[in-house]
Amino acid sequence: MYRGGETGDPLRVGVVGTGFIARGFMMALGGQEGMVPGPVLTRRASDGLSGLPKNFKPTNAVEDLIEGSDLVVECSGHVLHATEVIEEVMAAGLPVVTMDAETQVTTGSYFAKKGVFSEAEGDQPGCIAALREEALQMGFVPLVYGNIKGYLNHNPTPEEMDYWGKKQGISLDKVTSFTDGTKVQVEQALVANGLGAGIIRPGLLGPGTQDLTAGAEVLAETAILAGEPVSDFILSPGAPAGVFIAALHDDRFKGYLSNFKMGEGPVYTLIRNFHLCNLEITKTIRRIADGGEPLLNNGPAPAISVATIAKTDLQPGQEIRQGMGSFAVRGSTVRTAEIPEHVPIGLVYDAKVRRKVKAGSVLTWDDLEIPESRAREIWLELQGR
């Protein structure tokens, strides 16, 4: 039991990051009983941090974060920075909750072995994990762990993304990674690794459909043929921004499920028609603070990774400042054993192209020069290299 449970003192919740999700979480935390704001770790100068919610004190020192926190929420979205911070925080014995699927699928398996480390409910992977717990408790046997996506364009223009970023109040790199599919690939890789599922094919299937149930059943048929549950998504414009699970159930309950408007089976679709990101993080904090198991992480032995794919022809010497949200590359799920030489997109920061690469190619370590970082060390260690 963590601080608050035994001593009665409120739980001090530290935060890593000051972006869109982090600020929204700070606002949500302000009204939570039994929790108080801890330090906010940021790489920004203090004069560039106007608008932080009341009672949150920014710091540039990890030591301050550790000293003033009982639990830390990491939602910076920057894999290299997050990895270094998480390592120090967990070495100090503090539990970490992330809203950062990008870091989870890149270095999360290393931390899954080091202590209490969990992705939060709120983003789609955490919501799928929570829905899975409910499904299992009701006797369902999951076949598909699904994400509902409304729009996909593998190669959007900077002008389009600048417009939508400003309209939605989201950074250019984030809105680009949502649009080009990198984000959903990262999320479903985390779901696959954390929940013991496979993928139908590299890049996922992602059938387009106006009928969520029909789309879920298509994916369920492939899962039955594969002999294992699968992680994937449905592309359905106008559908709710939520998640779903397609599952089987004991035939004895067929009549009941029909009466409950779940259809005639044998595949039943459970839909959670929302994911509220920053508003739901506190549910996972309470779970951990009460001594519960992590909701979801990338697992100790991940089989699925997110490779870097060239969006256009790349030239020697070309620089890629950041892979996720780039107009040069995007992320796509792969089975690591099939392409062990791929460069995971979570490590692509300030990278340089070594040789010509054709559009659509998976980038390997021979194609990209990746600067040294703790995240790179951990990735290579996890691969046994």
Side-chain angles (χ1 to χ4, degrees):
M1 187 77 71
Y2 296 109
R3 179 188 176 98
E6 292 182 352
T7 67
D9 294 332
L11 188 79
R12 301 173 301 166
V13 181
V15 180
V16 183
T18 53
F20 181 75
I21 293 297
R23 289 177 184 243
F25 169 62
M26 292 180 221
M27 293 171 62
L29 183 61
Q32 292 292 320
E33 183 178 355
M35 300 182 194
V36 294
V40 177
L41 182 68
T42 178
R43 292 168 293 162
R44 301 179 186 179
S46 58
D47 57 3
L49 281 173
S50 60
L52 274 189
K54 187 178 178 182
N55 297 328
F56 283 89
K57 300 291 192 297
T59 179
N60 298 126
V62 179
E63 295 81 7
D64 293 342
L65 175 72
I66 293 170
E67 180 64 28
S69 305
D70 302 307
L71 178 148
V72 169
V73 173
E74 198 293 311
C75 43
S76 72
H78 191 288
V79 173
L80 306 191
H81 173 64
T83 296
E84 292 180 352
V85 172
I86 291 168
E87 185 162 40
E88 288 194 52
V89 169
M90 294 191 72
L94 298 183
V96 173
V97 171
T98 65
M99 179 65 77
D100 191 347
E102 295 86 349
T103 298
Q104 283 279 358
V105 300
T106 310
T107 57
S109 293
Y110 176 82
F111 298 117
K113 308 169 188 176
K114 299 292 183 181
V116 180
F117 182 62
S118 178
E119 180 75 351
E121 192 171 348
D123 218 354
Q124 284 97 329
C127 290
I128 291 172
L131 182 58
R132 174 180 179 268
E133 289 187 345
E134 294 182 9
L136 293 176
Q137 289 167 359
M138 292 186 286
F140 287 96
V141 179
L143 294 172
V144 181
Y145 299 118
N147 198 321
I148 303 171
K149 187 165 178 60
Y151 183 74
L152 180 65
N153 178 1
H154 284 320
N155 210 353
T157 67
E159 293 75 21
E160 289 172 323
M161 295 299 91
D162 183 63
Y163 169 80
W164 285 107
K166 290 175 179 176
K167 182 178 177 66
Q168 297 175 346
I170 301 173
S171 66
L172 180 64
D173 63 301
K174 291 291 190 295
V175 75
T176 303
S177 73
F178 300 160
T179 302
D180 71 10
T182 298
K183 183 68 170 177
V184 72
Q185 298 288 323
V186 167
E187 290 172 341
Q188 295 312 107
L190 170 56
V191 169
N193 291 329
L195 301 184
I199 59 173
I200 297 169
R201 68 180 187 192
L204 308 178
L205 189 60
T209 178
Q210 294 297 323
D211 184 335
L212 290 181
T213 299
E217 290 176 354
V218 167
L219 293 174
E221 289 172 5
T222 66
I224 292 170
L225 291 173
E228 65 175 353
V230 299
S231 174
D232 214 294
F233 71 97
I234 283 175
L235 185 61
S236 186
V243 300
F244 69 92
I245 288 178
L248 301 174
H249 207 295
D250 191 321
D251 281 346
R252 293 178 301 160
F253 295 95
K254 183 175 181 179
Y256 286 94
L257 290 167
S258 177
N259 284 332
F260 299 153
K261 312 304 180 187
M262 290 296 294
E264 299 304 316
V267 175
Y268 302 95
T269 304
L270 306 175
I271 299 172
R272 189 182 194 265
N273 65 352
F274 64 90
H275 71 100
L276 303 182
C277 295
N278 54 294
L279 296 180
E280 298 192 70
I281 297 174
T282 53
K283 292 194 282 184
T284 306
I285 292 174
R286 292 191 186 281
R287 175 191 183 105
I288 299 301
D290 290 340
E293 292 294 316
L295 175 66
L296 174 73
N297 56 48
N298 204 51
I304 308 300
S305 180
V306 183
T308 307
I309 307 291
K311 285 183 174 180
T312 62
D313 290 346
L314 304 179
Q315 303 301 321
Q318 184 173 344
E319 295 183 354
I320 303 174
R321 184 186 64 82
Q322 180 174 317
M324 286 175 284
S326 167
F327 293 101
V329 297
R330 62 180 176 87
S332 183
T333 52
V334 294
R335 300 179 185 92
T336 303
E338 293 179 355
I339 314 179
E341 69 277 13
H342 77 275
V343 175
I345 197 162
L347 294 182
V348 180
Y349 290 88
D350 299 319
K352 184 176 290 186
V353 179
R354 297 179 187 268
R355 59 186 184 182
K356 289 184 179 181
V357 179
K358 288 192 173 295
S361 300
V362 174
L363 276 74
T364 70
W365 291 91
D366 290 332
D367 296 320
L368 279 183
E369 182 180 323
I370 303 293
E372 295 288 340
S373 68
R374 182 61 182 133
R376 173 182 165 163
E377 290 177 6
I378 288 173
W379 166 265
L380 293 175
E381 179 181 327
L382 288 169
Q383 306 310 310
R385 295 166 63 178

